[in-house]
């Protein structure tokens, strides 16, 4: 058996999310179906770095699987791409060893969130950005970002419905906003993220950008450990799982 | 009766084109259905500046219709938008007089074509650009553009299956290419366009960009009046009906 790493990019618009579920199209199911065809009907389980919700996109999701086939990396890429729908793209395929694990080996993940900050909505970006027509204070948003950085209990910034057991302490290595044309992009890199966390960070940043909260309020929200103190959960279509990094030994492989 | 002008923007991905046809979703049908709801079941015919094919987008398509309703312009915009699917957007609504005609009154139309000129395809742009990984010579393409400008018989640059009666002489006022990030955009403005004409101009420009034709070849292709001398028809998803201009009296209204 060979362990294979795939970096995949997908447009989440037409998916009910990454993970297989009884109803609706999922990324996992489409990739597993493609692999099953390549393996003459044999089911091949894939493991991803993590799930993404319905409508959320991925620029660099990482998955691994084990296969009895012996195929050069470039041919894996071509064969899989041919069997996949157009909204999933194989970015890269690399062979690895069995100590690589796409989920448990993650070291850093970067998410980005695209805010379309224009007066009028854009029909071509409706599935790829969150349209916010209000004037936004980029400097205040970036000041707020500095409060996200570091190691904190993110209880206030995760879904109250979250079924995560254990602590909600996570480390954010870097968080910032930048302008790209008529968009404001939020980038956040951390060692892990709770359910809905990035979308709640964005919802809170927007409160700051609109002048309804000061950047320093972020500190108070952390201290209250209360989801209702943070901003609304921003909608899924602006969110992208951008990049996944693995530990030193494995990083060179992805 | 009041004559109403609407500027609409639509994502052509999920449409079988602009014009009503027996099978498949069309922009015209969706807009007429919305108007019919507003008019308590009464059918309202709309007239557009021209058709667009399946997969082709519009940033500023112009339509007109006559309505017995007396509604302020801003309310027309809101009411129609509420009844339309998310891939059609009302950009502007203006009342006009009955001498305005969205099709026969056109003076200039601008089309743009987005070429994604990157090594790798982009899953998020697959429905909005034509991916061309080859190195393209922008200067040569712009030189070729100058041959398009002026008044010519565009027989070589229109679909051989075209059912257009009469001459194929059209005037191009302006044609040029420019870089926008990882894209090359072709803009062409003229007094009218034949079936598939912009997509054939793009296909021919790409031959020039790849070095397979010299810019001066464009002149020879015009002279041959032979569709097979020009480049392939570029795919629909890169094409946008960008802007429609009306004659002096009417221009101020749109």
């Amino acid at each position: 058996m060979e362990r294979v790493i795939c970096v995949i990019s997908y447009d989440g618009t037409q998916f009910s999310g990454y993970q297989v579920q009884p109803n609706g199209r999922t990324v996992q199911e489409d990739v597993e179906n493609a692999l099953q065809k390549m393996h003459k009907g044999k089911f091949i389980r894939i493991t991803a770095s993590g799930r993404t919700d319905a409508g959320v996109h991925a620029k660099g999701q990482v998955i691994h699987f084990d296969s009895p086939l012996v195929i050069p990396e470039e041919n894996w890429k071509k064969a899989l791409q041919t069997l996949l729908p157009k909204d999933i793209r194989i970015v890269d395929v690399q062979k690895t060893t069995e100590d690589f694990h796409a989920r448990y080996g993650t070291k850093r993940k970067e998410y980005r969130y695209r805010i379309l900050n224009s007066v009028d909505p854009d029909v071509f970006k409706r599935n790829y950005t969150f349209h916010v027509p209000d004037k936004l204070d980029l400097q205040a948003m970036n000041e707020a970002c500095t409060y996200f950085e570091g190691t904190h209990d993110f209880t206030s910034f995760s879904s109250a419905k979250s079924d995560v057991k254990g602590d909600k302490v996570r480390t954010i290595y870097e968080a910032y906003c930048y302008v790209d044309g008529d968009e404001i992009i939020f980038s956040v890199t951390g060692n892990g993220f709770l359910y809905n966390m990035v979308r709640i960070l964005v919802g809170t940043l927007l409160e700051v950008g609109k002048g309804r909260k000061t950047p320093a309020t972020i500190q108070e929200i952390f201290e209250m450990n209360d989801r209702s103190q943070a901003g609304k959960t921003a909608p899924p279509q602006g969110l992208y799982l951008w990049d996944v990094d693995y530990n030193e030994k494995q990083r060179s492989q992805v």
Side-chain angles (χ1 to χ4, degrees), chain A:
Chain A
M1 296 286 270
E2 273 194 318
R3 183 153 291 190
V4 179
I5 303 176
C6 270
V7 181
I8 63 175
S9 168
Y10 49 83
D11 177 341
T13 310
Q14 306 288 335
F15 289 105
S16 300
Y18 171 80
Q19 193 176 47
V20 168
Q21 54 171 71
N23 302 306
R25 213 183 140 217
T26 63
V27 177
Q28 185 186 352
E29 193 171 9
D30 279 6
V31 175
E32 287 176 346
N33 283 345
L35 284 170
Q36 192 160 18
K37 280 181 196 150
M38 282 185 71
H39 291 77
K40 297 177 182 169
K42 180 177 155 64
F43 178 77
I44 303 289
R45 165 69 67 205
I46 66 170
T47 301
S49 71
R51 313 170 192 178
T52 53
D53 278 342
V56 172
H57 313 290
K59 182 164 177 292
Q61 169 71 287
V62 177
I63 61 167
H64 84 251
F65 56 85
D66 294 320
S67 168
L69 301 179
V70 179
I71 303 175
E73 288 165 347
E74 193 53 35
N75 295 16
W76 264 116
K77 189 176 168 181
K78 282 180 197 158
L80 264 178
Q81 189 63 67
T82 308
L83 294 166
L84 284 170
K86 287 186 177 174
D87 45 4
I88 303 179
R89 178 151 288 280
I90 307 289
V91 177
D92 196 26
V93 175
Q94 288 180 37
K95 295 185 185 184
T96 185
T97 48
E98 64 179 16
D99 58 345
F100 177 89
H101 194 285
R103 184 166 172 204
Y104 299 123
T106 61
K107 188 181 178 188
R108 299 156 64 102
K109 273 188 185 178
E110 180 185 1
Y111 282 92
R112 292 197 188 175
Y113 195 96
R114 291 171 59 184
I115 297 159
L116 177 62
N117 190 29
S118 58
V119 175
D120 293 315
D122 181 336
V123 75
F124 306 111
K125 291 186 173 182
R126 72 193 186 287
N127 296 323
Y128 305 103
T129 59
F130 174 32
H131 178 236
V132 179
D134 314 66
K135 193 169 162 55
L136 296 175
D137 182 340
L138 185 71
Q139 198 180 334
M141 289 166 74
N142 265 319
E143 197 182 328
C145 280
T146 64
Y147 288 94
F148 294 149
E149 293 177 346
T151 301
H152 307 278
D153 182 321
F154 282 88
T155 299
S156 295
F157 297 97
S158 70
S159 172
K161 288 172 286 183
S162 171
D163 58 354
V164 171
K165 301 286 183 287
D167 72 62
K168 296 190 174 181
V169 175
R170 297 290 183 277
T171 299
I172 299 297
Y173 302 117
E174 192 175 43
Y176 62 96
C177 295
Y178 65 96
V179 172
D180 182 11
D182 53 4
E183 298 180 18
I184 291 179
I185 318 285
F186 170 58
S187 162
V188 59
T189 303
N191 68 348
F193 293 87
L194 300 165
Y195 189 58
N196 275 354
M197 179 169 146
V198 182
R199 289 163 57 187
I200 297 169
L201 294 180
V202 171
T204 310
L205 274 182
L206 287 170
E207 293 283 296
V208 173
K210 293 172 188 173
R212 293 180 192 159
K213 282 186 165 66
T214 63
T217 316
I218 304 294
Q219 186 56 42
E220 295 164 25
I221 299 172
F222 270 122
E223 286 162 10
M224 287 190 261
N225 286 321
D226 174 4
R227 166 68 188 94
S228 71
Q229 299 298 318
K232 285 183 192 161
T233 305
Q237 78 274 8
L239 184 60
Y240 295 72
L241 171 55
W242 200 259
D243 195 34
V244 187
D245 242 15
Y246 289 85
N247 61 49
E248 211 50 57
K249 181 177 167 296
Q250 297 175 330
R251 190 189 305 189
S252 63
Q253 296 174 317
V254 178

